[in-house]
Amino acid sequence: MPAAPRRAPPPELHPDDGDEPRRQVGVLPIRRGRDGAVKVLLVTSRESRRWVIPKGWPMKGRKPFEAAAQEAYEEAGLRGVVGKRPIGYYLYEKRLKNLDAVTCQVKVFPLRVRKQVKHFPEESQRELRWFTPLEASESVKEPGLAAIIRAALQRPGAIDPAQEP
């Protein structure tokens, strides 16, 4: 079994680098329902329990889109085709265990979900729900993420990252 990828240290362990946001990677999980309608999966964050996309720290030895796909598996049990190019970026304030907050910039990649497994590493720590794109954009607190959801699903080929130009 290959060794687990090393993640960047949590933000509280980073040296103070001024106002630069901490970098994260995430996926926008998309699938078509049996009725053909597009659905977006959101997960709850572990601490605040707000609706978010699967995301996390970059991983040493992995490209950003690969690390984002790994986060989708760990946080939601998702497997599928991840786009190699980001569909957008958004900022949010991450609350640390010491109650400080740091600004994070999340690079978002599209993920066309092919499979959702029943058991995955963070299954007991998160709630998962499939939303319509409109419901998903209204359920997230970060305006930048809501805008990415709305914009991504209006683009042709949005649910098929394998068909990127």
Side-chain angles (χ1 to χ4, degrees):
M1 178 178 234
R6 287 192 22 207
R7 288 176 170 73
E12 55 267 44
L13 300 180
H14 281 254
D16 184 16
D17 54 3
D19 294 332
E20 276 297 303
R22 309 290 197 253
R23 307 253 185 249
Q24 290 192 310
V25 294
V27 296
L28 182 62
I30 304 163
R31 74 167 190 200
R32 281 204 187 272
R34 287 189 171 86
D35 61 357
V38 174
K39 298 287 187 175
V40 175
L41 183 105
L42 297 178
V43 302
T44 55
S45 65
R46 288 190 284 204
E47 301 295 323
S48 67
R49 310 301 292 171
R50 71 191 191 288
W51 289 110
V52 297
I53 59 172
K55 65 184 175 331
W57 304 109
M59 298 176 191
K60 191 172 180 83
R62 291 208 178 170
K63 294 180 178 168
F65 70 92
E66 293 169 333
Q70 180 65 30
E71 292 294 341
Y73 170 73
E74 291 176 11
E75 295 183 10
L78 302 177
R79 296 285 191 205
V81 178
V82 64
K84 293 180 180 172
R85 288 192 284 185
I87 55 174
Y89 300 80
Y90 72 96
L91 296 172
Y92 80 103
E93 292 295 312
K94 180 173 182 63
R95 184 80 39 204
L96 305 177
K97 288 186 173 115
N98 66 7
L99 300 183
D100 286 344
V102 294
T103 301
C104 292
Q105 179 189 59
V106 183
K107 185 185 290 192
V108 181
F109 297 89
L111 174 69
R112 185 183 54 185
V113 177
R114 290 208 169 138
K115 182 178 183 182
Q116 185 175 7
V117 300
K118 289 183 181 180
H119 300 289
F120 50 93
E122 296 181 18
E123 67 182 287
S124 65
Q125 301 169 38
R126 299 180 187 278
E127 214 179 302
L128 314 176
R129 188 178 306 159
W130 287 98
F131 292 86
T132 67
L134 180 60
E135 291 168 337
S137 68
E138 291 174 347
S139 298
V140 298
K141 296 254 189 290
E142 297 81 8
L145 177 55
I148 289 170
I149 292 169
R150 286 191 305 271
L153 297 167
Q154 292 173 356
R155 277 199 297 266
I159 64 160
D160 194 356
Q163 304 218 349
E164 295 179 324

